[in-house]
Amino acid sequence: MAQGIAKAPLPDQRNLAWYVDKTVQVLVFVGGISAILLILGIFVFITKEGMGFITQTLDIGEFFTSPNWRPTSENRPTYGALALIAGTASVTGLAMLVAVPFSLGAAIFIGEFATGKTREILKILVEMLAAIPSVVWGFIGLSIMNPLIIDLFNVPVGLNVLNSGLILGLMAAPIMTTLAEDALKAVPDGYREAAEAMGATRWQVIFRVVFPAAKNGLVAAVLLGVGRGFGETMAVLMASGHSINIPTSPFDSVRALTATIAAELGETAVGSDHYRALFTLGIFLFAITFLINLTADLVVRGPRKR
Amino acid sequence: MFEATELNHRNQRTEKLWRLLFLMMTLLLILPVAVILTVLVVKGGPSLSIDFLFTEPTQGMTAGGILPALVGTVWLVVVALIASVPIGVAAALYLSEYAPDNWLTRIINLAIINLAGVPSIVHALFGVGAFVAFFRFGTSILAASLTLAVMTLPVVIVSTREALKAVPQAFREACWNMGATRWQTIRKVVLPNSVSGILTGVILEVSRTAGETAPIMFTGAAFFLPFLPQSVYDQTMALSLHLFVVSTQVPDVPEGLPFGVALVLIGLVLSMNAVSIGFRMVLRGKKKW
Amino acid sequence: MVTPTRDRQPKVQVRDLSIHYGGKAALAGATFEIHEHEIFGIIGPAGSGKTSFLRAMNRMDLFNPAMEVGGEISMDGKDVRKWKNVYALRRRIGVVFPLPVGLPMSIYENVALAPRLGGTRKRADLDVIVERCLTRAALWDEVKDRLDSLGSLLSGGQQQRLTIARALSQEPELLLLDEFSIAVDPVTTMKIEDVLKELRQELTIVLVTNLVQQARRLADRTAFFLTGELVEVAPTEDLFTGGASDERTTAYVEGRFG
């Protein structure tokens, strides 16, 4: 049997291939934990810059209850974030009011009604929508929505809660649609078939069977959409009017937490109170989005794992 | 009997109504965007020309082209990819090929989800604190690109992991049974059969990276620079920031100019995205097993 | 079959082997020996622990965290779980499982992969190995003109023979076959069976089969497994000619259950 080629059997020794394999294993492990290191790094670095401010200068009560964000005031700077929080909340709230029903509706249509080519094309369109950069959305708010709102509602300024809320809604909708559709798809076909065999119509199947079964996934989709809206920066910076204000109507201009950091960080001296105050806003944003993501993850995985 | 038929009809009508309602909702999400894109093309189209792409801005950015911004975006994207793709692919390899089902793996997955959810402006703060200040890269392409790399890392990890998972386990076991090491198996069977899927994810990441603005604002992108960057330690203009600047910071800009910039940016991003989607569809058509 | 096998060295020694999957027992307390240069048949109905033994032999418990192995399996006197380089162990053991796996690379590369990993680089040497292994697996004539086409797109029966060719390309000392003929037509099965008889000169073969007649045709000695228990091991002819020491064995080989 072609003895010329046959070799002595491989001895039980760690050879080059074995060491290469171990080295690769260590390298990819480092890559694997990089995500943990980075999330910790983000926490450490923004805390490092902001912590001194929180312990020395910041009045927590003022931060959450005062609407006066005047970090550059000559005689007495104030750091009340209430108006900024209200700005973020109002814009995100309006965005969700628009995006949640429409995203769920779109997810149901794509997942439960559309078939074949239609479904494929709609999914691609939704994916493309999600790819539009936020600065382009901000520009749309500024240059297209702004004059439109002024004309339609006869108001002096079109950069307001309505404008940025709609923009943010359109931005958050694709990702929510995709996640919601995934959640619907995760419901086994057997459920649908069983219900249809019992004579239920399609919409009965959707509302009575598919929706309850996909509930957790849908809630997570909405939560992640909220997180997205909460953290959005450029669009809100450009379309919300940039005035620090607790809004009383959708036509009021506001300023969001994210937009405040983006607008002011460039003008602060490194290490100044103002600079550190902006990092404090960052810590706040980080904490909120962390909680939202954690909750979404627990909602999806919790019941399955435990 | 009659009653049943009538009930049937009513049910069918209700079903049609629901279907129509959901279709309308879907279209209402897509149509405004179609309108907006049309407006962008109509208003920005006239500004586009070869000159616009390949000359520098003039007269305080109220005229001229976008060359430095375009070149800067390419720099930022390329350096970000060099940093994020190796780490992201390694992380995905670990999760798909090595990671046992334990608490550490669960924490890694949670960290990836959270990393993807951190607001872009918080990434910017991290970039300022870590890369600009702590590692002393200053405001530079390096600092900005690393910030972008951290931000888009989850995209690479998740898309690569999906591509790796699409390779059937039976192939791996067949290789292991021949005495191939894990790495040999990855090199000979897993990677060759997932590389196009990984590439699809990388293209998607390019599209994402090119459009980001907030993370580069304070880490390396400048409002205006009269020269092209020479190394990663230079600052640079960037297309996304340029759109922000000409639409909000510069007075007396002719209306067509920012629309032109927006059109180039969105064209760049969407075409990368389309390439990625097209790539994926070609792949799906070409079955190797 | 002529030479009395008991004079030979044990190639594999199994002592008190038990295998669990997440607490469920698949094999309990099996002790037996496999001699060098014999075909060792393992018969028994589905779920009797035959495949689990093969998996443990090749350290496939490392692929599946739920699989726990107790006791000892030694090859050439060395416990397989004490090997420093498990890949070297697996290279010395060829395995063929009932589900054929053609790797998504050319037919040529399928067979050349193991030799390449083992350090054979010269094209001429690889050519010889590929032709020899494909011939032995009774596949050469069907594919010799299209060695560049994908192994994963062959028919099921062809993929099974490709899998056998791949196992042979490792030049193993021990060949583990698990119901290899399940996807192969009878004529080809007979061809492969002839090759296995020849191969006995060079290596040791463990043949797990659900076809008792196949064991009778090929195996020197045969073990009968039943629901995780090793009922008995005996020279194959004895089992089929009323020499079985356990009533259940006789019942099984006569087709009264299974």
Side-chain angles (χ1 to χ4, degrees), chain C residues 41-221:
Chain C
I42 300 180
I43 56 172
S48 57
K50 305 176 303 230
T51 304
S52 294
F53 162 63
L54 296 191
R55 290 181 159 268
M57 179 82 230
N58 204 32
R59 294 302 321 274
M60 287 173 74
D61 50 316
L62 292 174
F63 308 167
N64 180 357
M67 181 172 171
E68 298 156 44
V69 179
E72 191 189 315
I73 305 177
S74 302
M75 186 166 83
D76 295 334
K78 183 171 184 179
D79 188 343
V80 293
R81 274 178 296 162
K82 298 222 169 89
W83 279 55
K84 287 194 292 256
N85 187 346
V86 66
Y87 310 110
L89 169 75
R90 290 206 193 112
R91 264 199 73 88
R92 291 163 67 161
I93 302 175
V95 292
V96 176
F97 282 104
L99 276 182
V101 177
L103 293 173
M105 50 181 80
S106 74
I107 294 170
Y108 185 96
E109 286 303 325
N110 260 279
V111 186
L113 181 60
R116 270 189 211 280
L117 293 176
T120 307
R121 302 242 185 283
K122 271 196 249 142
R123 183 77 187 189
D125 292 349
L126 291 173
D127 286 349
V128 173
I129 295 174
V130 169
E131 176 168 355
R132 189 183 66 222
C133 295
L134 285 172
T135 308
R136 287 185 152 176
L139 186 60
W140 175 254
D141 290 336
E142 287 167 55
V143 300
K144 64 177 178 228
D145 299 323
R146 49 182 178 119
L147 290 174
D148 289 336
S149 48
L150 281 176
S152 45
L153 295 181
L154 290 171
S155 75
Q158 289 173 326
Q159 285 196 37
Q160 183 64 297
R161 282 175 280 157
L162 183 61
T163 312
I164 294 172
R166 235 176 24 222
L168 294 175
S169 75
Q170 294 169 236
E171 304 192 344
E173 302 157 29
L174 185 62
L175 182 62
L176 312 179
L177 297 162
D178 190 357
E179 303 184 0
F180 75 90
S181 53
I182 224 165
V184 184
D185 65 273
V187 176
T188 314
T189 300
M190 294 315 289
K191 278 192 210 161
I192 297 174
E193 286 188 8
D194 289 341
V195 172
L196 293 180
K197 284 181 206 155
E198 274 174 44
L199 278 174
R200 186 164 35 182
Q201 309 302 322
E202 297 159 28
L203 43 84
T204 308
I205 299 173
V206 180
L207 175 78
V208 166
T209 180
N210 54 348
L211 310 168
V212 287
Q213 290 308 319
Q214 188 172 56
R216 185 174 194 178
R217 284 195 298 272
L218 293 175
D220 300 297
R221 295 186 310 136

Side-chain angles (χ1 to χ4, degrees), chain A residues 205-229:
Chain A
V205 173
I206 292 169
F207 284 111
R208 306 254 171 87
V209 179
V210 178
F211 249 62
K215 194 181 70 204
N216 286 333
L218 296 176
V219 170
V222 171
L223 276 175
L224 290 174
V226 172
R228 192 87 196 283

Side-chain angles (χ1 to χ4, degrees), chain A residues 33 177 277:
Chain A
I33 58 171
T177 306

Side-chain angles (χ1 to χ4, degrees), chain B residues 211-241:
Chain B
E212 279 302 334
T213 314
I216 59 174
M217 269 173 117
F218 311 107
T219 50
F223 279 25
F224 177 70
L225 282 178
F227 51 85
L228 298 180
Q230 303 299 312
S231 81
V232 291
Y233 296 104
D234 286 343
Q235 290 192 44
T236 181
M237 292 179 72
L239 209 50
S240 54
L241 185 64

